[in-house]
Amino acid sequence: MSIDLTDEQKAFTEAVDDFCRREAGTREQRGDSPHHPGLYRRMADLGWLGVTVPEEYGGSGAGMVDTCLFLEHAAYGQAPVGGFTTSAIVAAAVQRCGSHEQKKTVLGGLVDGRVYAIAMSEPEAGSDVANLSCRAVRTGDGWIVDGQKTWCSNAHIADTVLLVARTGGSPGDHHGLTMLLVPADAPGLRINGIATMGGREVNDLYLTGVRLPADAVVGAVGEGWRQLMAGLNTERLILAAVMLGTAQRAFDDALDFIRQRRQFGRPVGSFQALRHRVADLATEIECCRLLVHRVATLVDRDPLRVLPRESSMVKLKTTEVARQVALAGMQMMGGYGYATEYDMERHVRATLISTVYGGTSEIQREIIGKTYGL
Ligand SMILES: Cc1cc2nc3c(=O)[nH]c(=O)nc-3n(C[C@H](O)[C@H](O)[C@H](O)COP(=O)(O)OP(=O)(O)OC[C@H]3O[C@@H](n4cnc5c(N)ncnc54)[C@H](O)[C@@H]3O)c2cc1C
């Protein structure tokens, strides 16, 4: 690895690697689901889920560099703790904008092993998030929410969903959006799994007359868009770090295979066609690692500075490289890469969609291009 880590960071990543080898090293241990409540609980007990959480709320108060190291190594170790990604994104939003009470509940909840989900997307509001129409209307003592959300990762295992709803303006307006905390068991909220090639980790949410107290609002009423923008660094780095770990895993799995597999009397990895491909993929992964580390370092240096160019670059590059590595890994493994007996087909499925969620590659390119005044 090309990044200089402190002794503490080395010890931390070694502990995560060791845990993953021991506790999630086999298919039987990992199970079929991307989220294993027992292993998540064990990680909570080890204090790792609170890596992003300030000490006053029970976490270790580490920065984005450490958080990215945790995510990268947990993904590399194939730890089935998929619920952590959205939980960390929600916790970061609450940490930035929430009240002390909300921080105690949500940040403390993450440390204790609870899962959180975030619901922005709607059937008519995907890349165009501001087009959302799910509406929260003020009542005497709180809010009533009606509408539909879609593609909400982990809502079916979540304690609470961070909902972005319209409290003013019309679909298309950036103003008039508000963040609200909705308990997953709130009367009037129905959560339906969506069948996908990756399983059933995403959900449609139907909200019919869901009543929320006044203090469900996170941050300021009508300021949801600004609050979402302020969270871009964190959200994109989190997704990037997971894909960096997944890319490295797919690479190492492919390398192991092509060293062993013999055709024409020699290991297939010794053919120049594969050797050069390995060289290209290794170089791309190293570029991603440096970029993740660089952007995380910038965020730690000044957590309030929004980095639209850098955070889009890190999400764009790592997700596209992860997909490239997994597809190349499958090709290099021949038919075996396609068999469910090996993990490569899972890496392919996991990486294929990473260029879509959290803002598609096209949208990331739009954002980067605009930062050059175009
Ligand atoms: C597995 C998965 C998990 C998800 N998890 C969550 C979640 O937890 N919470 C949540 O709120 N959402 C989540 N999403 C939703 C995700 O963020 C959206 O799917 C994504 O933003 C794209 O929206 P869309 O699917 O409606 O595609 P569309 O916006 O309809 O885009 C279709 C195509 O058009 C392109 N396109 C659109 N606009 C432009 C443009 N201006 N310029 C160039 N190209 C453009 C897109 O890049 C894409 O290729 C998830 C999605 C998936 C698949």
Side-chain angles (χ1 to χ4, degrees):
M1 193 148 79
S2 54
I3 291 172
D4 293 332
L5 301 181
T6 64
D7 288 345
E8 272 184 354
Q9 288 169 333
K10 274 186 209 150
F12 179 47
T13 55
E14 279 164 21
V16 176
D17 291 344
D18 186 50
F19 176 89
C20 292
R21 264 193 305 272
R22 269 188 296 108
E23 309 285 341
T26 67
R27 288 267 180 98
E28 291 68 36
Q29 287 172 309
R30 292 195 290 271
D32 289 332
S33 163
H35 187 82
H36 188 303
L39 284 173
Y40 195 63
R41 170 86 268 140
R42 304 272 293 278
M43 282 199 172
D45 293 343
L46 287 163
W48 292 345
L49 303 185
V51 61
T52 53
V53 173
E55 287 175 19
E56 62 173 311
Y57 298 105
S60 49
M64 275 318 284
V65 169
D66 289 4
T67 303
C68 287
L69 288 171
F70 171 63
L71 289 161
E72 177 194 343
H73 284 259
Y76 180 79
Q78 302 192 84
V81 289
F84 181 71
T85 313
T86 52
S87 304
I89 290 170
V90 171
V94 170
Q95 190 176 321
R96 269 191 319 276
C97 316
S99 65
H100 176 60
E101 281 310 307
Q102 288 169 336
K103 289 180 193 173
K104 270 198 334 202
T105 309
V106 174
L107 304 189
L110 175 59
V111 173
D112 283 346
R114 292 183 197 278
V115 172
Y116 299 93
I118 180 160
M120 297 172 282
S121 305
E122 296 182 5
E124 300 306 323
S127 299
D128 187 6
V129 182
N131 201 42
L132 64 83
S133 60
C134 174
R135 193 164 275 278
V137 176
R138 215 188 276 264
T139 62
D141 57 352
W143 300 88
I144 295 188
V145 190
D146 285 283
Q148 184 187 344
K149 292 287 172 184
T150 190
W151 299 120
C152 186
S153 303
N154 302 318
H156 58 300
I157 52 169
D159 182 83
T160 302
V161 177
L162 179 67
L163 185 88
V164 184
R166 185 160 288 291
T167 49
S170 321
D173 292 342
H174 290 95
H175 66 270
L177 303 182
T178 301
M179 289 181 171
L180 296 134
L181 289 170
V182 184
D185 60 358
L189 169 60
R190 194 155 52 85
I191 300 174
N192 276 7
I194 302 172
T196 70
M197 64 191 281
R200 274 185 183 268
E201 303 315 311
V202 283
N203 304 275
D204 282 318
L205 309 187
Y206 300 94
L207 300 108
T208 314
V210 174
R211 288 184 174 275
L212 299 175
D215 63 6
V217 171
V218 176
V221 173
E223 290 295 318
W225 183 261
R226 191 187 51 75
Q227 293 174 199
L228 279 176
M229 294 304 110
L232 290 184
N233 295 344
T234 320
E235 180 183 330
R236 294 188 175 150
L237 265 173
I238 286 172
L239 301 176
V242 171
M243 279 302 125
L244 171 60
T246 309
Q248 186 69 58
R249 184 66 194 216
F251 177 87
D252 285 0
D253 285 357
L255 191 59
D256 273 354
F257 185 91
I258 64 172
R259 279 181 172 143
Q260 313 278 339
R261 172 74 176 163
R262 296 177 74 86
Q263 288 292 282
F264 302 98
R266 53 195 265 204
V268 294
S270 68
F271 293 112
Q272 192 185 52
L274 273 71
R275 205 167 56 224
H276 283 192
R277 192 178 285 166
V278 163
D280 287 343
L281 297 176
T283 308
E284 290 286 6
I285 294 172
E286 277 306 290
C287 290
C288 290
R289 182 165 289 114
L290 291 171
L291 189 56
V292 168
H293 192 72
R294 166 80 182 143
V295 180
T297 303
L298 287 176
V299 171
D300 284 345
R301 234 178 250 167
D302 185 359
L304 295 181
R305 196 172 140 215
V306 184
L307 304 163
R309 179 187 296 170
E310 293 81 357
S311 61
S312 284
M313 282 178 172
V314 76
K315 201 272 175 182
L316 172 68
K317 182 68 180 169
T318 49
T319 55
E320 296 212 334
V321 165
R323 183 180 61 180
Q324 178 193 354
V325 173
L327 286 170
M330 180 175 270
Q331 182 70 23
M332 290 192 290
M333 289 175 68
Y336 300 95
Y338 189 60
T340 54
E341 182 192 344
Y342 292 89
D343 290 328
M344 193 57 69
E345 61 85 25
R346 289 179 71 176
H347 302 325
V348 168
R349 284 188 282 122
T351 56
L352 272 184
I353 198 62
S354 69
T355 58
V356 170
Y357 57 64
T360 65
S361 287
E362 289 83 354
I363 294 298
Q364 305 305 340
R365 289 192 169 89
E366 278 296 293
I367 295 169
I368 296 165
K370 281 182 186 159
T371 68
Y372 289 96
L374 299 173

